[in-house]
């Protein structure tokens, strides 16, 4: 329907077209609904048969009752109670789609003739006034407007910059030196991997209090396998990955199948694995792993191109150049897609400024690392995990279900 409306020269906004990874879906839809003049809602049979349907509709109607609402109901399901006194269009099956769409287009065309466009968000749609062209702003005014509008999204970056400036000042410039940046990357690598996994838990509105002790217990098992049983590092890594999978399956089954709240399940898990960790380390306290391959993965750096000595780590610089190229390609492609569907985009100077700043930050960090020992393997592992989860969330059925 969104594609057909686009072909009929209506302005269409669709979540799967416009929302990027990391954007808040509830906030994006809520912002769109708040700014709408007319709402177009398509109700499916499954939704109408939901036990929560009437509650959702009551809350929805109370918030947007002053706005015109155009409703399409699929199948012969009974409409929500709150809609019983309102006119709606019923489409019994797909064969009636053309008739429904002609009626919908006629109704929207009447509003469009008065200067309106049409926007759709998933099953929710809206018409938004487009009578006047957006006022052109100066470069400085647009930057100020973007900062003011997105201050909540930028706050973490602002805080990070302030922290870095403060510690760099207190350490007389040592904080941003190559050795410290490399050490920071290696030290926070495991936290980044845990955070990537926890993001999925939070998206599903759950929590995992045991993640820290599960990670500690898994690390202790890997160390014991390598030091006491002489297990190869790759076998040990595979073993603890399987162990983590089994722990996640156990706790996930309690939450999803048995119905135990995630807070209770993972709180118990936290105590269980804290005890197991203490039990595993009670004889030595700390386990020194002499395995060179394992230590290289956690504390080592990627090798440089053989036979090349330019005074810096060439492979790291090439990786940085590739990252910048990928950044530019994805940003330009995303902008072109938005322009194709007549979405609002920033002006070209602001767009170029953003690319230049992001590229400069990437190359600055890369250049510092290249003049030290190169890119740590920790950064490579984190990047691999991040890309894997990005593919999972954007290209698989499970990822779409999670969102």
């Amino acid at each position: 329907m969104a594609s057909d409306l686009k072909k009929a020269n209506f302005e269409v906004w669709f979540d799967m077209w416009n929302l990027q990874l990391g954007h808040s879906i509830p906030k994006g839809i809520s912002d769109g609904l708040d700014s709408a003049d007319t709402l177009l809602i398509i109700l499916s049979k499954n939704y109408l048969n939901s036990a929560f349907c009437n509650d959702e509709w009551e809350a929805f109607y109370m918030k947007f009752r002053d706005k015109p609402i155009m409703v399409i109901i699929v199948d012969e399901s009974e409409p929500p109670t709150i809609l019983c006194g309102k006119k709606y269009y019923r489409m019994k099956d797909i064969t009636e789609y053309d008739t429904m769409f002609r009626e919908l287009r006629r109704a929207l065309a009447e509003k469009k003739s008065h200067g309106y466009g049409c926007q759709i968000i998933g099953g929710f749609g809206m018409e938004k006034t487009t009578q006047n062209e957006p006022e052109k702003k100066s470069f400085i005014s647009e930057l100020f407007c973007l900062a003011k509008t997105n201050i909540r999204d930028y706050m973490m970056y602002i805080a990070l910059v302030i922290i870095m400036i403060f510690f760099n000042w207190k350490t007389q410039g040592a904080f941003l030196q190559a050795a410290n940046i490399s050490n920071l990357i290696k030290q926070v690598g495991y936290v980044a991997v845990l955070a990537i996994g926890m993001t999925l838990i939070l998206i599903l509105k759950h929590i995992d209090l045991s993640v820290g002790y599960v990670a500690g217990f898994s690390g202790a098992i890997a160390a014991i396998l390598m030091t006491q049983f002489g297990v190869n590092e790759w076998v040990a890594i595979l073993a603890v990955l399987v162990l983590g999978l089994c722990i996640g399956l156990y706790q996930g089954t309690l939450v999803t199948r048995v119905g135990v709240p995630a807070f209770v399940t993972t709180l118990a898990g936290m105590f269980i694995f804290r005890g197991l960790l203490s039990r595993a380390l009670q004889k030595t306290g700390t386990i020194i792993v002499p395995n060179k391959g394992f230590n290289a993965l956690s504390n080592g750096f990627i090798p440089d191109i053989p036979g090349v000595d330019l005074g810096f780590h060439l492979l790291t610089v090439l990786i940085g150049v590739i990252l910048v190229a990928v950044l530019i390609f994805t940003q330009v492609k995303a902008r072109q897609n938005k322009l194709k569907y007549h979405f609002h985009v920033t002006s070209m100077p602001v767009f170029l400024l953003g690319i230049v700043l992001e590229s400069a930050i990437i190359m600055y960090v890369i250049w510092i690392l290249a003049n030290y020992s190169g890119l740590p393997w920790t950064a490579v592992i984190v990047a691999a995990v991040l890309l894997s989860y990005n593919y999972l969330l954007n290209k698989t059925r499970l990822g779409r279900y999670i969102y």
Side-chain angles (χ1 to χ4, degrees), residues 234-266:
W234 296 108
V235 176
I237 291 173
L238 180 61
V240 295
L241 286 176
V242 173
L243 173 63
L245 181 63
C246 293
I247 293 172
L249 182 62
Y250 153 70
Q251 296 194 132
T253 301
L254 289 179
V255 174
T256 60
R257 299 298 182 183
V258 182
V260 182
F263 180 86
V264 176
T265 299
T266 58

Side-chain angles (χ1 to χ4, degrees), residues 8-287:
N9 296 322
F10 290 98
E11 182 183 358
V12 178
W13 188 98
F14 192 64
D15 54 358
M16 294 187 68
W17 294 347
N18 199 51
L19 289 180
Q20 304 296 324
L21 179 64
H23 287 188
S24 172
I25 295 177
K27 182 178 182 300
I29 294 178
S30 178
D31 291 344
L33 291 172
D34 288 337
S35 63
D37 295 317
T38 302
L39 306 179
L40 170 61
I41 300 105
I42 300 101
L43 300 178
S44 67
K45 180 179 179 180
N46 289 337
Y47 177 74
L48 290 173
N49 290 335
S50 168
F52 303 100
C53 175
N54 288 328
D55 293 339
E56 291 177 352
W57 254 103
E58 183 176 353
F60 175 83
Y61 183 78
M62 291 303 296
K63 184 174 182 180
F64 301 104
R65 61 184 181 274
D66 295 329
K67 298 182 179 182
I69 301 176
M70 303 174 65
V71 181
I72 299 172
I73 300 179
V74 179
D75 270 339
E76 298 182 354
S77 303
E78 290 299 321
T81 304
I82 202 167
L83 283 180
C84 287
K86 292 185 175 294
K87 183 179 179 180
Y88 54 87
Y89 190 97
R90 183 185 297 279
M91 187 176 70
K92 296 181 180 180
D93 54 54
I94 194 64
T95 60
E96 297 184 3
Y97 175 80
D98 291 337
T99 304
M100 178 277 299
F101 187 77
R102 283 195 298 269
E103 181 69 16
L104 174 63
R105 186 170 59 179
R106 183 190 62 79
L108 294 177
E110 292 179 0
K111 293 183 175 297
K112 188 176 181 182
S113 65
H114 292 88
Y116 291 85
C118 177
Q119 293 190 336
I120 292 182
I121 301 182
F124 293 86
M126 65 200 67
E127 295 180 310
K128 191 173 182 180
T129 302
T130 56
Q131 285 178 314
N132 300 320
E133 291 294 330
E135 179 184 357
K136 292 185 178 180
K137 301 178 181 179
S138 65
F139 179 73
I140 301 299
S141 298
E142 186 175 2
L143 286 179
F144 179 78
C145 183
L146 284 174
K148 183 179 179 180
T149 305
N150 301 285
I151 186 64
R152 291 178 58 185
D153 297 332
Y154 298 156
M155 189 55 67
M156 291 301 298
Y157 301 105
I158 295 173
L160 178 62
V161 170
I162 293 175
I163 291 173
M164 293 177 66
I165 292 175
F166 174 78
F167 281 102
N168 195 56
W169 168 59
K170 295 297 290 185
T171 58
Q172 299 181 353
F175 183 80
L176 292 180
Q177 289 183 357
N180 189 57
I181 290 180
S182 180
N183 288 333
L184 286 174
I185 292 175
K186 290 185 287 187
Q187 290 169 3
V188 304
Y190 78 96
V191 179
V193 172
L194 294 178
I196 293 170
M198 285 297 297
T199 300
L200 272 66
I201 303 298
L202 297 177
I203 290 175
L204 294 171
K205 298 181 180 180
H206 287 291
I207 192 171
D208 187 353
L209 301 176
S210 66
V211 61
Y213 283 110
V214 170
F217 176 66
S218 300
I221 295 299
I224 291 173
L225 289 176
M226 288 184 287
T227 56
Q228 297 183 17
F229 297 95
V231 176
N232 178 272
E233 65 268 19
W234 296 108
V235 176
I237 291 173
L238 180 61
V240 295
L241 286 176
V242 173
L243 173 63
L245 181 63
C246 293
I247 293 172
L249 182 62
Y250 153 70
Q251 296 194 132
T253 301
L254 289 179
V255 174
T256 60
R257 299 298 182 183
V258 182
V260 182
F263 180 86
V264 176
T265 299
T266 58
L267 180 63
M270 181 183 73
F271 289 117
I272 291 172
F273 294 108
R274 183 174 68 177
L276 291 175
L277 176 61
S278 299
R279 177 70 176 176
L281 300 178
Q282 65 178 353
K283 293 183 179 180
T284 58
T286 300
I287 300 177

